[in-house]
């Protein structure tokens, strides 16, 4: 499923949060949105998944304006894992994942064997088999996040939008979850803070700064020392991962540089 965003502008409280954003995502791509805190990543994603209404611009899925799709049809095509993943009531894990099936059912229709099968499959993908009857509020932050990813898998949409899907996960589950998401063979648009994960998993990156998309391209094209300094205000060495050959960043904080200089000076005095 292909997504096209043209000249998108979203205003909140009379302030333009994103302005004239253009992006195009081809079917099957794994695309990352990166940018510093407050640069507008979540606002862009929320406008794409219709929580926010744009002031201007057009968003289309397979050349159909998303504003013309019913809520049900839109949810059959696009699933979301948002940052605000709180669930207001005391639902069980199984009930929450089953909610992902609702766009495929009529209003009062009970769950079918296929819905239960999809739920079991989705929980297995995120490593939560056996958690079906657990109450959602009793789960850890990382377990909750994995349940919400399972709900999105159960929705069976061909476009998946994720806002920081790994922010509560330990490193094993970050890698596992991104592997599972990539293996799902759907088109992915995800905001990611971890630039090394973005470099390792994304085919293409869009970079946001102050509500604008400033550049896009493959991780190798985008993640340059100049861009890291200009957009993220960090010094980094851009290396190539020895095993995967993907871009790998090594950050240098001013404090670290001072420490290195101090160690060198101490060595100099000792010699
Ligand atoms: N409902 C709102 N009311 C007022 N300001 C808002 C609202 N939502 C977002 N903003 C502002 O819009 C800007 C962009 O926010 P957004 O959440 O899109 O950034 P982000 O890039 O996702 O940030 P982060 O990396 O911190 O999650 C911020 O300055 C934020 O304070």
């Amino acid at each position: 499923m292909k997504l096209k965003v043209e000249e998108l502008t979203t205003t909140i409280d009379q302030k333009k949060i994103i302005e004239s954003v253009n992006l195009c995502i081809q079917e099957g791509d794994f695309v990352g949105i990166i940018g510093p805190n407050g640069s507008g990543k979540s606002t862009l994603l929320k406008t794409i998944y219709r929580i926010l209404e744009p002031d201007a611009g057009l968003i289309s899925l397979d050349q159909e304006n998303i504003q013309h799709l019913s809520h049900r049809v839109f949810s059959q095509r696009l699933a979301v894992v948002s940052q605000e993943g709180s669930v207001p009531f005391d639902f069980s894990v199984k009930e929450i994942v089953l909610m992902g099936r609702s766009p495929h059912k009529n209003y009062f229709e009970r769950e079918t064997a296929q819905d239960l099968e999809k739920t079991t499959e989705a929980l297995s993908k995120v490593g939560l088999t056996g958690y079906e009857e657990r109450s959602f509020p009793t789960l850890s932050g990382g377990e909750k996040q994995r349940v919400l990813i399972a709900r999105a898998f159960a929705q069976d949409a061909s476009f998946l939008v994720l806002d920081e899907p790994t922010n509560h996960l330990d490193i094993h589950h970050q890698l596992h979850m991104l592997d599972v998401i990539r293996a799902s063979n759907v088109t992915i648009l995800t905001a990611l803070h971890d630039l090394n994960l973005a470099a390792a998993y994304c085919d293409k990156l869009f970079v946001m700064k102050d509500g604008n998309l400033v550049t896009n391209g493959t991780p190798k094209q985008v993640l340059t020392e100049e861009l890291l300094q200009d957009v993220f205000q960090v010094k980094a060495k851009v290396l190539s991962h020895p095993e995967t050959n993907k871009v790998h960043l090594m950050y240098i904080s001013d404090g670290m540089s001072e420490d290195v200089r101090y160690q060198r000076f101490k060595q100099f005095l000792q010699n």
Side-chain angles (χ1 to χ4, degrees):
M1 179 147 289
K2 179 177 164 178
L3 175 89
K4 197 165 183 198
V5 170
E6 294 165 86
E7 292 299 319
L8 194 70
T9 297
T10 303
T11 301
I12 302 175
D13 288 344
Q14 285 150 30
K15 186 178 161 211
K16 275 186 186 158
I17 307 289
I18 56 167
E19 194 169 6
S20 301
V21 168
N22 291 286
L23 59 87
C24 186
I25 299 176
Q26 299 300 332
E27 179 155 345
D29 272 356
F30 192 129
V31 173
I33 304 225
I34 57 171
N37 289 141
S39 55
K41 303 179 295 296
S42 296
T43 304
L44 170 61
L45 296 183
K46 282 179 189 165
T47 314
I48 290 172
Y49 63 78
R50 303 205 311 191
I51 288 289
L52 292 173
E53 212 173 302
D55 307 286
L58 182 69
I59 306 169
S60 47
L61 271 174
D62 280 348
Q63 285 155 16
E64 257 186 283
N65 183 343
I66 61 164
Q67 300 298 340
H68 298 160
L69 300 175
S70 69
H71 180 71
R72 184 180 155 90
V73 169
F74 184 64
S75 307
Q76 285 169 355
R77 297 186 188 174
L78 184 142
V80 178
V81 180
S82 67
Q83 273 199 43
E84 293 93 17
S86 65
V87 173
F89 301 107
D90 186 6
F91 288 109
S92 72
V93 165
K94 185 168 107 185
E95 284 168 330
I96 288 181
V97 180
L98 271 171
M99 285 173 197
R101 300 298 304 152
S102 56
H104 301 280
K105 306 165 72 60
N106 292 323
Y107 204 58
F108 290 111
E109 195 183 334
R110 283 191 62 83
E111 67 262 17
T112 61
Q114 193 197 26
D115 296 329
L116 292 169
E117 203 178 294
K118 297 263 180 201
T119 300
T120 306
E121 197 184 306
L123 280 171
S124 155
K125 278 189 185 170
V126 302
L128 288 176
T129 301
Y131 280 65
E132 289 78 354
E133 303 310 325
R134 279 283 301 274
S135 144
F136 186 79
T138 68
L139 301 179
S140 75
E143 288 164 348
K144 283 180 180 159
Q145 199 158 21
R146 283 151 65 200
V147 170
L148 298 175
I149 294 171
R151 180 176 66 180
F153 282 145
Q155 201 171 318
D156 245 355
S158 41
F159 200 99
L160 190 51
V161 175
L162 306 112
D163 197 349
E164 284 298 327
T166 55
N167 63 353
H168 286 292
L169 304 181
D170 63 54
I171 187 64
H172 166 78
H173 284 108
Q174 288 183 27
L175 298 174
H176 175 66
M177 212 46 57
L178 289 171
D179 283 338
V180 171
I181 289 168
R182 188 165 57 184
S184 65
N185 269 335
V186 299
T187 312
I188 309 286
L189 176 61
T190 181
L192 283 171
H193 269 303
D194 186 321
L195 301 182
N196 280 319
L197 286 181
Y201 284 90
C202 297
D203 303 311
K204 193 169 182 184
L205 296 175
F206 285 88
V207 184
M208 292 209 74
K209 183 184 177 190
D210 300 331
N212 299 298
L213 276 179
V214 289
T215 188
N216 69 82
T218 63
K220 260 197 181 116
Q221 290 168 333
V222 164
L223 294 171
T224 61
E225 290 173 14
E226 295 72 33
L227 178 123
L228 293 163
Q229 183 66 63
D230 175 39
V231 174
F232 292 92
Q233 287 157 13
V234 289
K235 270 191 224 147
K237 284 273 161 233
V238 179
L239 308 171
S240 185
H241 191 290
E243 292 271 320
T244 62
N245 223 10
K246 305 263 184 182
V247 169
H248 191 80
L249 308 178
M250 294 193 77
Y251 303 110
I252 314 158
S253 80
D254 290 341
M256 270 159 77
S257 323
E258 269 170 31
D259 196 39
V260 169
R261 276 201 295 274
Y262 173 68
Q263 295 301 337
R264 284 201 191 130
F265 181 60
K266 234 169 69 176
Q267 240 173 11
F268 169 75
L269 291 179
Q270 279 164 1
N271 291 334

